[in-house]
Coordinates of all heavy atoms in Angstrom, one line a residue:
M1 N -60.9 16.1 -57.6 CA -61.5 17.2 -58.2 C -61.7 17.0 -59.7 O -60.8 16.5 -60.4 CB -60.6 18.5 -58.0 CG -61.2 19.8 -58.3 SD -60.0 21.1 -58.0 CE -60.9 22.0 -56.8
N2 N -62.9 17.1 -60.3 CA -63.2 16.8 -61.6 C -63.0 18.1 -62.5 O -62.7 19.2 -61.9 CB -64.6 16.3 -61.9 CG -65.7 17.2 -61.4 OD1 -65.5 18.5 -61.5 ND2 -66.8 16.7 -61.0
V3 N -63.1 18.0 -63.8 CA -62.8 19.1 -64.6 C -63.7 20.3 -64.4 O -63.2 21.5 -64.3 CB -62.9 18.6 -66.1 CG1 -62.9 19.8 -67.1 CG2 -61.9 17.6 -66.5
E4 N -64.9 20.1 -64.2 CA -65.9 21.1 -63.9 C -65.5 22.0 -62.7 O -65.6 23.2 -62.6 CB -67.4 20.6 -63.8 CG -68.0 20.2 -65.1 CD -67.4 18.9 -65.6 OE1 -66.9 18.1 -64.9 OE2 -67.6 18.6 -66.9
Q5 N -65.2 21.2 -61.6 CA -64.7 21.7 -60.4 C -63.4 22.6 -60.5 O -63.3 23.8 -60.0 CB -64.6 20.7 -59.2 CG -65.8 20.1 -58.9 CD -65.6 18.9 -58.0 OE1 -64.7 18.1 -58.3 NE2 -66.4 18.7 -56.9
K6 N -62.5 22.1 -61.4 CA -61.3 22.8 -61.6 C -61.6 24.1 -62.4 O -61.0 25.2 -62.1 CB -60.3 22.0 -62.4 CG -59.7 20.8 -61.5 CD -58.7 20.0 -62.3 CE -58.1 19.0 -61.4 NZ -57.2 18.1 -62.1
L7 N -62.4 24.0 -63.5 CA -62.8 25.2 -64.2 C -63.5 26.3 -63.4 O -63.3 27.5 -63.6 CB -63.7 24.8 -65.4 CG -62.9 24.0 -66.6 CD1 -64.0 23.7 -67.6 CD2 -61.9 24.9 -67.2
S8 N -64.4 25.8 -62.5 CA -65.0 26.8 -61.6 C -64.2 27.5 -60.7 O -64.5 28.5 -60.2 CB -66.2 26.1 -60.9 OG -65.6 25.3 -59.9
A9 N -63.0 27.1 -60.5 CA -61.9 27.7 -59.5 C -61.3 29.1 -60.4 O -60.9 29.9 -59.6 CB -60.9 26.8 -59.1
N10 N -61.5 29.0 -61.6 CA -60.8 30.2 -62.4 C -61.7 31.4 -62.1 O -62.9 31.4 -61.8 CB -60.8 29.8 -63.9 CG -59.9 28.7 -64.2 OD1 -58.9 28.5 -63.6 ND2 -60.2 27.9 -65.2
K11 N -61.0 32.5 -62.3 CA -61.7 33.8 -62.2 C -61.7 34.5 -63.5 O -60.6 34.4 -64.3 CB -60.9 34.7 -61.2 CG -60.9 34.1 -59.8 CD -62.3 34.0 -59.2 CE -62.2 33.5 -57.7 NZ -63.5 33.1 -57.2
F12 N -62.6 35.2 -63.9 CA -62.8 35.9 -65.2 C -63.1 37.4 -64.9 O -64.0 37.8 -64.3 CB -63.8 35.3 -66.1 CG -63.7 33.9 -66.4 CD1 -64.2 32.9 -65.6 CD2 -62.9 33.5 -67.4 CE1 -63.9 31.5 -65.9 CE2 -62.6 32.2 -67.8 CZ -63.2 31.0 -67.0
N13 N -62.3 38.2 -65.5 CA -62.5 39.7 -65.5 C -62.9 40.0 -66.9 O -62.1 40.2 -67.8 CB -61.3 40.4 -65.1 CG -61.5 42.0 -65.0 OD1 -62.8 42.3 -64.9 ND2 -60.5 42.7 -64.8
V14 N -64.2 40.1 -67.1 CA -64.8 40.3 -68.5 C -64.7 41.8 -69.0 O -65.1 42.6 -68.2 CB -66.3 39.8 -68.5 CG1 -66.9 40.1 -69.9 CG2 -66.4 38.4 -68.1
D15 N -64.2 42.0 -70.1 CA -64.1 43.3 -70.7 C -65.4 43.6 -71.5 O -65.5 43.5 -72.7 CB -62.8 43.3 -71.6 CG -62.5 44.8 -72.1 OD1 -63.1 45.6 -71.6 OD2 -61.4 44.8 -72.8
E16 N -66.4 44.1 -70.7 CA -67.7 44.3 -71.3 C -67.6 45.3 -72.4 O -66.9 46.4 -72.3 CB -68.6 44.9 -70.2 CG -68.8 44.0 -69.0 CD -69.7 42.7 -69.4 OE1 -70.3 42.7 -70.5 OE2 -69.8 41.8 -68.5
G17 N -68.2 45.0 -73.5 CA -68.1 45.8 -74.7 C -67.0 45.6 -75.6 O -66.9 46.3 -76.6
H18 N -65.9 44.9 -75.2 CA -64.8 44.7 -76.0 C -64.5 43.2 -76.0 O -63.5 42.8 -75.5 CB -63.6 45.4 -75.4 CG -63.8 46.9 -75.5 ND1 -64.3 47.6 -74.3 CD2 -63.6 47.8 -76.5 CE1 -64.3 48.9 -74.7 NE2 -63.9 49.0 -75.9
P19 N -65.3 42.4 -76.6 CA -64.9 40.9 -76.7 C -63.8 40.6 -77.4 O -63.5 41.3 -78.5 CB -66.3 40.4 -77.4 CG -66.8 41.5 -78.2 CD -66.5 42.7 -77.4
H20 N -62.9 39.7 -76.9 CA -61.7 39.4 -77.7 C -61.9 38.4 -78.7 O -60.9 38.1 -79.5 CB -60.6 39.0 -76.7 CG -60.9 37.7 -76.0 ND1 -61.8 37.5 -75.0 CD2 -60.3 36.4 -76.2 CE1 -61.7 36.2 -74.7 NE2 -61.0 35.6 -75.4
I21 N -63.0 37.9 -78.9 CA -63.4 37.0 -80.0 C -64.7 37.5 -80.7 O -65.7 37.6 -79.9 CB -63.6 35.5 -79.5 CG1 -62.3 34.9 -78.9 CG2 -64.0 34.6 -80.8 CD1 -62.5 33.7 -78.2
L22 N -64.6 37.7 -82.0 CA -65.8 38.0 -82.8 C -66.0 36.9 -83.9 O -65.1 36.6 -84.6 CB -65.6 39.3 -83.4 CG -65.6 40.6 -82.4 CD1 -65.3 41.9 -83.3 CD2 -66.9 40.7 -81.7
I23 N -67.2 36.4 -83.9 CA -67.6 35.4 -84.8 C -68.3 35.9 -86.0 O -69.3 36.7 -85.8 CB -68.4 34.3 -84.1 CG1 -67.8 33.8 -82.9 CG2 -68.7 33.2 -85.1 CD1 -66.5 33.2 -83.1
H24 N -68.0 35.7 -87.2 CA -68.7 36.2 -88.4 C -69.5 35.1 -88.9 O -69.1 34.2 -89.7 CB -67.7 36.7 -89.4 CG -66.8 37.8 -88.8 ND1 -67.3 39.1 -88.6 CD2 -65.6 37.9 -88.4 CE1 -66.4 39.8 -88.0 NE2 -65.3 39.1 -87.9
L25 N -70.7 35.0 -88.4 CA -71.6 33.8 -88.6 C -71.9 33.5 -90.1 O -72.0 32.4 -90.7 CB -73.0 34.0 -88.0 CG -73.0 33.9 -86.5 CD1 -74.3 34.3 -86.0 CD2 -72.6 32.5 -86.0
E26 N -71.9 34.5 -91.0 CA -72.1 34.4 -92.4 C -70.9 33.6 -93.1 O -71.1 33.1 -94.2 CB -72.3 35.8 -93.1 CG -71.0 36.6 -93.2 CD -70.6 37.4 -91.9 OE1 -71.3 37.2 -90.9 OE2 -69.6 38.1 -92.1
K27 N -69.8 33.4 -92.4 CA -68.7 32.7 -93.0 C -68.7 31.2 -92.6 O -67.9 30.4 -93.0 CB -67.4 33.3 -92.5 CG -67.2 34.8 -92.8 CD -66.8 34.9 -94.3 CE -66.4 36.3 -94.7 NZ -65.8 36.5 -96.0
L28 N -69.6 30.9 -91.6 CA -69.6 29.5 -91.0 C -70.6 28.7 -91.8 O -71.8 29.0 -91.8 CB -69.9 29.6 -89.6 CG -68.8 30.4 -88.8 CD1 -69.2 30.4 -87.2 CD2 -67.4 29.9 -88.9
D29 N -70.3 27.5 -92.2 CA -71.3 26.6 -92.6 C -71.7 25.6 -91.5 O -71.2 25.8 -90.3 CB -70.8 25.7 -93.8 CG -69.5 25.0 -93.6 OD1 -69.2 24.8 -92.4 OD2 -68.8 24.5 -94.5
D30 N -72.6 24.7 -91.7 CA -73.1 23.9 -90.6 C -72.0 23.1 -90.0 O -71.9 22.8 -88.7 CB -74.2 23.0 -91.1 CG -75.5 23.8 -91.4 OD1 -75.5 25.0 -91.0 OD2 -76.4 23.2 -92.1
E31 N -71.1 22.6 -90.8 CA -70.0 21.7 -90.3 C -69.1 22.5 -89.4 O -68.6 22.0 -88.3 CB -69.2 21.1 -91.4 CG -68.1 20.1 -91.0 CD -68.5 19.0 -90.2 OE1 -69.7 18.7 -90.0 OE2 -67.6 18.3 -89.6
A32 N -68.7 23.8 -89.8 CA -67.9 24.6 -89.0 C -68.6 24.9 -87.6 O -67.9 25.0 -86.6 CB -67.6 25.9 -89.7
K33 N -69.9 25.1 -87.6 CA -70.6 25.4 -86.4 C -70.5 24.2 -85.5 O -70.3 24.3 -84.3 CB -72.0 25.8 -86.7 CG -72.2 27.2 -87.4 CD -73.7 27.4 -87.8 CE -73.8 28.7 -88.6 NZ -75.2 28.8 -89.1
R34 N -70.8 23.0 -86.1 CA -70.6 21.8 -85.3 C -69.2 21.6 -84.7 O -69.2 21.2 -83.4 CB -71.1 20.6 -86.2 CG -71.2 19.3 -85.4 CD -71.2 18.1 -86.3 NE -69.9 17.9 -86.9 CZ -68.8 17.3 -86.3 NH1 -68.9 17.0 -85.1 NH2 -67.7 17.1 -86.9
I35 N -68.3 21.9 -85.5 CA -66.9 21.7 -84.9 C -66.7 22.6 -83.7 O -66.1 22.2 -82.8 CB -65.9 22.0 -86.1 CG1 -65.9 20.9 -87.2 CG2 -64.5 22.2 -85.6 CD1 -65.1 21.2 -88.4
L36 N -67.1 23.8 -83.8 CA -66.9 24.8 -82.7 C -67.6 24.3 -81.4 O -67.1 24.5 -80.3 CB -67.4 26.2 -83.0 CG -66.6 26.9 -84.0 CD1 -67.3 28.2 -84.5 CD2 -65.2 27.3 -83.5
T37 N -68.7 23.6 -81.6 CA -69.4 23.1 -80.4 C -68.6 21.9 -79.8 O -68.9 21.6 -78.6 CB -70.8 22.6 -80.7 OG1 -70.8 21.5 -81.5 CG2 -71.7 23.7 -81.3
V38 N -67.8 21.3 -80.5 CA -67.0 20.1 -80.0 C -65.7 20.6 -79.6 O -65.2 19.9 -78.4 CB -66.9 19.1 -81.2 CG1 -66.1 17.9 -80.7 CG2 -68.2 18.6 -81.6
V39 N -65.0 21.5 -80.1 CA -63.6 21.7 -79.7 C -63.3 22.6 -78.6 O -62.3 22.6 -77.9 CB -62.8 22.3 -80.9 CG1 -62.8 21.4 -82.1 CG2 -63.3 23.7 -81.3
C40 N -64.3 23.5 -78.2 CA -64.0 24.4 -77.1 C -64.2 23.6 -75.7 O -65.1 23.1 -75.4 CB -65.1 25.4 -77.1 SG -65.0 26.6 -75.7
P41 N -63.0 23.6 -75.1 CA -63.0 22.9 -73.7 C -63.9 23.5 -72.7 O -64.2 22.8 -71.7 CB -61.5 23.0 -73.3 CG -61.0 24.2 -74.0 CD -61.7 24.4 -75.4
A42 N -64.3 24.8 -72.9 CA -65.2 25.5 -71.9 C -66.6 25.3 -72.3 O -67.6 25.8 -71.6 CB -64.8 26.9 -71.8
G43 N -66.9 24.8 -73.5 CA -68.3 24.6 -73.9 C -69.0 25.9 -74.2 O -70.2 26.0 -73.9
L44 N -68.3 26.9 -74.8 CA -68.9 28.2 -75.0 C -69.7 28.4 -76.3 O -70.5 29.4 -76.4 CB -67.8 29.2 -74.9 CG -67.0 29.2 -73.6 CD1 -66.0 30.4 -73.7 CD2 -67.9 29.5 -72.5
Y45 N -69.6 27.3 -77.2 CA -70.4 27.4 -78.4 C -71.5 26.4 -78.3 O -71.2 25.2 -77.9 CB -69.4 27.0 -79.6 CG -68.3 28.0 -79.8 CD1 -67.0 27.9 -79.3 CD2 -68.5 29.1 -80.8 CE1 -66.0 28.8 -79.5 CE2 -67.5 29.9 -81.0 CZ -66.3 29.7 -80.4 OH -65.3 30.7 -80.7
T46 N -72.7 26.8 -78.6 CA -73.8 26.0 -78.6 C -74.7 26.2 -79.7 O -74.8 27.2 -80.4 CB -74.7 26.2 -77.3 OG1 -75.1 27.5 -77.1 CG2 -73.9 25.7 -76.0
L47 N -75.4 25.0 -80.2 CA -76.4 25.2 -81.2 C -77.8 25.0 -80.7 O -78.0 24.1 -79.8 CB -76.1 24.0 -82.2 CG -74.9 24.2 -83.2 CD1 -74.7 22.9 -84.0 CD2 -75.1 25.4 -84.1
N48 N -78.8 25.8 -81.1 CA -80.1 25.6 -80.6 C -80.8 24.6 -81.5 O -80.2 24.1 -82.6 CB -80.8 27.0 -80.5 CG -81.0 27.6 -81.8 OD1 -81.0 27.0 -82.9 ND2 -81.4 28.9 -81.8
E49 N -82.0 24.4 -81.3 CA -82.8 23.4 -82.1 C -82.9 23.8 -83.6 O -83.2 23.0 -84.5 CB -84.2 23.2 -81.5 CG -85.1 24.4 -81.5 CD -84.8 25.4 -80.4 OE1 -84.0 25.1 -79.5 OE2 -85.4 26.5 -80.4
K50 N -82.7 25.1 -83.9 CA -82.8 25.5 -85.3 C -81.4 25.6 -86.0 O -81.2 26.0 -87.2 CB -83.3 27.0 -85.4 CG -84.8 27.1 -85.0 CD -85.3 28.6 -84.9 CE -86.7 28.6 -84.6 NZ -87.2 30.0 -84.6
G51 N -80.4 25.1 -85.3 CA -79.1 25.0 -85.9 C -78.3 26.4 -85.8 O -77.3 26.5 -86.4
Q52 N -78.9 27.3 -85.0 CA -78.2 28.6 -84.9 C -77.1 28.6 -83.8 O -77.4 27.9 -82.7 CB -79.3 29.7 -84.4 CG -80.3 29.9 -85.6 CD -81.5 30.6 -85.1 OE1 -81.9 30.5 -83.9 NE2 -82.1 31.5 -86.0
L53 N -76.0 29.1 -84.1 CA -74.9 29.1 -83.2 C -74.9 30.2 -82.2 O -75.1 31.3 -82.6 CB -73.5 29.2 -84.0 CG -72.2 29.0 -83.2 CD1 -72.1 27.5 -82.8 CD2 -71.0 29.4 -84.0
A54 N -74.7 29.9 -81.0 CA -74.6 30.9 -79.8 C -73.2 30.9 -79.3 O -72.6 29.7 -79.2 CB -75.6 30.7 -78.8
F55 N -72.7 31.9 -78.9 CA -71.2 31.9 -78.3 C -71.3 32.9 -77.1 O -71.8 34.0 -77.2 CB -70.3 32.4 -79.4 CG -69.0 32.7 -78.8 CD1 -68.2 31.7 -78.2 CD2 -68.4 34.0 -78.9 CE1 -66.9 31.8 -77.7 CE2 -67.1 34.2 -78.4 CZ -66.4 33.1 -77.9
E56 N -70.7 32.4 -76.0 CA -70.5 33.3 -74.8 C -69.1 33.4 -74.5 O -68.5 32.5 -74.1 CB -71.3 32.6 -73.7 CG -71.1 33.3 -72.3 CD -71.4 34.7 -72.4 OE1 -72.7 35.0 -72.6 OE2 -70.6 35.6 -72.2
V57 N -68.5 34.6 -74.6 CA -67.1 34.8 -74.6 C -66.6 34.9 -73.1 O -65.5 34.8 -72.8 CB -66.7 36.1 -75.4 CG1 -67.2 37.4 -74.5 CG2 -65.2 36.2 -75.6
A58 N -67.6 35.1 -72.2 CA -67.2 35.4 -70.8 C -66.4 34.3 -70.1 O -65.6 34.5 -69.2 CB -68.5 35.7 -69.9
G59 N -66.6 33.1 -70.5 CA -65.9 32.0 -69.7 C -64.7 31.5 -70.6 O -64.1 30.4 -70.3
C60 N -64.2 32.2 -71.5 CA -63.1 31.9 -72.4 C -61.9 31.5 -71.6 O -61.4 32.4 -70.8 CB -62.9 32.9 -73.5 SG -61.5 32.5 -74.6
L61 N -61.2 30.4 -71.9 CA -59.9 30.0 -71.3 C -58.7 30.5 -72.1 O -57.6 30.2 -71.7 CB -59.8 28.5 -71.3 CG -61.0 27.9 -70.4 CD1 -61.1 26.4 -70.5 CD2 -61.0 28.3 -69.0
E62 N -59.0 31.2 -73.2 CA -58.0 31.7 -74.1 C -56.9 30.7 -74.6 O -55.7 31.0 -74.8 CB -57.2 32.9 -73.3 CG -58.1 33.9 -72.9 CD -57.4 35.0 -71.9 OE1 -56.2 35.2 -72.0 OE2 -58.1 35.5 -71.0
C63 N -57.4 29.5 -74.9 CA -56.6 28.4 -75.3 C -56.3 28.6 -76.9 O -55.4 28.0 -77.3 CB -57.2 27.1 -75.1 SG -58.8 26.7 -75.9
G64 N -57.2 29.2 -77.6 CA -57.0 29.4 -79.0 C -57.4 28.3 -79.8 O -57.3 28.2 -81.1
T65 N -58.1 27.3 -79.3 CA -58.5 26.1 -80.1 C -59.5 26.5 -81.1 O -59.4 25.9 -82.2 CB -59.1 25.1 -79.2 OG1 -58.2 24.8 -78.1 CG2 -59.5 23.8 -80.0
C66 N -60.4 27.3 -80.8 CA -61.4 27.7 -81.9 C -60.8 28.4 -83.0 O -61.2 28.3 -84.2 CB -62.6 28.5 -81.3 SG -62.0 30.0 -80.3
R67 N -59.8 29.2 -82.7 CA -59.1 30.0 -83.7 C -58.4 29.0 -84.7 O -58.5 29.2 -85.9 CB -58.1 30.9 -83.1 CG -57.1 31.7 -84.0 CD -56.3 32.5 -83.3 NE -55.6 33.5 -84.2 CZ -54.6 34.2 -83.9 NH1 -54.3 34.3 -82.6 NH2 -54.0 35.0 -84.7
V68 N -57.7 28.0 -84.1 CA -57.0 27.1 -85.0 C -58.0 26.2 -85.8 O -57.8 26.0 -87.0 CB -56.1 26.2 -84.1 CG1 -55.5 25.0 -84.9 CG2 -55.0 27.0 -83.4
A69 N -59.1 25.8 -85.1 CA -60.1 24.9 -85.8 C -60.7 25.7 -87.0 O -61.2 25.1 -87.9 CB -61.2 24.5 -84.8
M70 N -60.8 27.1 -86.9 CA -61.4 27.9 -88.1 C -60.4 28.5 -89.0 O -60.8 29.3 -89.7 CB -62.3 28.9 -87.4 CG -63.5 28.4 -86.7 SD -64.7 27.5 -87.8 CE -64.4 25.8 -87.2
A71 N -59.1 28.2 -88.8 CA -58.1 28.8 -89.5 C -58.2 28.6 -91.1 O -57.8 29.4 -91.8 CB -56.7 28.2 -89.2
H72 N -58.9 27.6 -91.5 CA -59.2 27.3 -92.9 C -60.3 28.1 -93.5 O -60.5 28.3 -94.7 CB -59.4 25.8 -93.2 CG -60.8 25.4 -92.5 ND1 -60.9 25.4 -91.2 CD2 -61.9 25.0 -93.0 CE1 -62.2 24.9 -90.9 NE2 -62.8 24.8 -92.0
L73 N -61.0 28.8 -92.7 CA -62.1 29.7 -93.1 C -61.8 31.1 -92.9 O -61.9 31.7 -91.9 CB -63.4 29.4 -92.4 CG -64.0 28.0 -92.5 CD1 -65.3 27.9 -91.6 CD2 -64.5 28.0 -94.0
S74 N -61.2 31.7 -94.0 CA -60.7 33.1 -93.9 C -61.9 34.0 -93.5 O -62.9 34.0 -94.1 CB -60.2 33.5 -95.3 OG -59.7 34.8 -95.2
G75 N -61.7 34.9 -92.5 CA -62.5 36.0 -92.1 C -63.7 35.4 -91.2 O -64.6 36.1 -90.9
A76 N -63.6 34.1 -90.8 CA -64.7 33.5 -89.9 C -64.7 34.1 -88.5 O -65.7 34.2 -87.9 CB -64.6 32.0 -90.0
M77 N -63.5 34.5 -88.1 CA -63.3 34.8 -86.6 C -62.2 35.9 -86.5 O -61.2 35.8 -87.2 CB -63.1 33.6 -85.9 CG -62.5 33.7 -84.6 SD -62.2 32.1 -83.8 CE -63.8 31.3 -83.9
D78 N -62.5 36.8 -85.6 CA -61.4 37.8 -85.2 C -61.0 37.3 -83.7 O -61.9 37.2 -82.9 CB -61.8 39.2 -85.2 CG -62.2 39.7 -86.6 OD1 -61.5 39.3 -87.5 OD2 -63.1 40.5 -86.7
W79 N -59.8 37.1 -83.5 CA -59.4 36.5 -82.2 C -58.2 37.3 -81.7 O -57.1 37.3 -82.5 CB -59.1 35.0 -82.4 CG -59.0 34.2 -81.1 CD1 -59.9 33.3 -80.7 CD2 -58.1 34.2 -80.1 NE1 -59.5 32.7 -79.4 CE2 -58.4 33.3 -79.1 CE3 -56.9 34.9 -79.9 CZ2 -57.6 33.1 -78.0 CZ3 -56.1 34.7 -78.7 CH2 -56.5 33.7 -77.8
E80 N -58.3 37.8 -80.6 CA -57.0 38.4 -80.0 C -57.1 38.2 -78.5 O -58.2 37.8 -77.9 CB -57.0 39.9 -80.3 CG -58.2 40.7 -79.9 CD -58.2 42.1 -80.3 OE1 -57.5 42.4 -81.3 OE2 -58.9 42.9 -79.7
H81 N -56.0 38.4 -77.9 CA -55.9 38.2 -76.4 C -56.7 39.3 -75.8 O -56.8 40.5 -76.5 CB -54.6 38.2 -75.9 CG -53.8 36.9 -76.2 ND1 -54.1 35.7 -75.6 CD2 -52.8 36.6 -77.2 CE1 -53.2 34.8 -76.1 NE2 -52.6 35.3 -77.1
P82 N -57.3 39.1 -74.7 CA -58.0 40.3 -74.0 C -57.0 41.4 -73.6 O -55.8 41.1 -73.5 CB -58.5 39.5 -72.8 CG -58.6 38.2 -73.0 CD -57.5 37.9 -73.9
R83 N -57.6 42.5 -73.4 CA -56.6 43.6 -73.0 C -56.1 43.4 -71.6 O -56.6 42.5 -70.9 CB -57.5 44.9 -73.0 CG -58.0 45.3 -74.4 CD -58.6 46.8 -74.4 NE -59.8 46.9 -73.5 CZ -60.3 48.0 -73.2 NH1 -59.9 49.2 -73.8 NH2 -61.3 48.1 -72.4
A84 N -55.0 44.2 -71.3 CA -54.4 43.9 -70.0 C -55.3 44.0 -68.8 O -56.1 44.9 -68.8 CB -53.2 44.9 -69.9
S85 N -55.2 43.2 -67.9 CA -55.9 43.0 -66.7 C -57.4 42.4 -66.9 O -58.1 42.2 -66.0 CB -56.2 44.3 -66.0 OG -57.3 45.1 -66.6
F86 N -57.7 42.0 -68.2 CA -59.0 41.4 -68.5 C -58.7 39.9 -68.9 O -57.6 39.5 -69.2 CB -59.7 42.0 -69.6 CG -60.3 43.4 -69.2 CD1 -59.6 44.5 -69.6 CD2 -61.3 43.5 -68.5 CE1 -60.0 45.8 -69.3 CE2 -61.8 44.8 -68.0 CZ -61.1 45.9 -68.5
G87 N -59.8 39.0 -68.8 CA -59.7 37.7 -69.2 C -59.6 36.7 -68.0 O -59.9 37.1 -67.0
V88 N -59.1 35.5 -68.4 CA -59.1 34.5 -67.3 C -57.9 34.6 -66.4 O -56.8 35.0 -66.8 CB -59.1 33.1 -68.0 CG1 -57.8 32.9 -68.8 CG2 -59.3 31.9 -67.0
Q89 N -58.1 34.3 -65.2 CA -57.1 34.1 -64.2 C -57.1 32.7 -63.7 O -58.1 32.2 -63.0 CB -57.2 35.0 -63.0 CG -57.2 36.5 -63.4 CD -57.5 37.3 -62.2 OE1 -57.7 37.0 -61.0 NE2 -57.6 38.6 -62.5
F90 N -56.2 31.9 -64.0 CA -56.2 30.5 -63.6 C -55.9 30.2 -62.2 O -54.9 30.7 -61.6 CB -55.2 29.6 -64.6 CG -55.7 29.6 -66.0 CD1 -55.1 30.4 -67.0 CD2 -56.6 28.7 -66.4 CE1 -55.5 30.4 -68.3 CE2 -57.1 28.7 -67.7 CZ -56.5 29.5 -68.6
R91 N -56.7 29.4 -61.6 CA -56.5 29.0 -60.2 C -56.3 27.6 -60.2 O -57.1 26.9 -60.7 CB -57.7 29.4 -59.3 CG -58.2 30.8 -59.4 CD -57.1 31.8 -58.7 NE -57.3 33.2 -59.0 CZ -58.1 34.0 -58.1 NH1 -58.6 33.4 -57.0 NH2 -58.2 35.2 -58.4
C92 N -55.2 27.2 -59.6 CA -54.8 25.7 -59.6 C -55.2 25.0 -58.3 O -54.4 24.1 -57.9 CB -53.4 25.6 -60.0 SG -53.0 26.3 -61.7
G93 N -56.2 25.4 -57.6 CA -56.6 24.6 -56.5 C -56.4 25.3 -55.2 O -56.1 26.4 -55.1
Ligands
SF4_101 S1 -60.2 30.3 -77.0 FE1 -60.6 28.2 -76.1 S2 -61.9 28.5 -74.5 FE2 -62.0 30.4 -75.7 S3 -63.8 30.2 -76.9 FE3 -62.0 29.4 -78.1 S4 -61.9 27.2 -77.8 FE4 -63.2 28.1 -76.2

């Protein structure tokens, strides 16, 4: 079983209208945006051809890597765990 297959076994209960991660784009420079596209294990940060950052919270693994990676940029991101009963449910095969 490869990584993509393992990730696809997880279940997500998305808290529509209450994202647990908010990105403040005005605080991110180009390098910060590039870093986010590299560090997220779920590949939820992407850059388009204009260098604009897109983020999809629905597949978040709640690992906190993006939060740590942006810790040096005050106010760049609001990160909290999803509310009870929402978020990822890990399935191990
Ligand atoms: S918490 Fe982890 S999985 Fe979720 S967006 Fe950040 S890096 Fe990606």
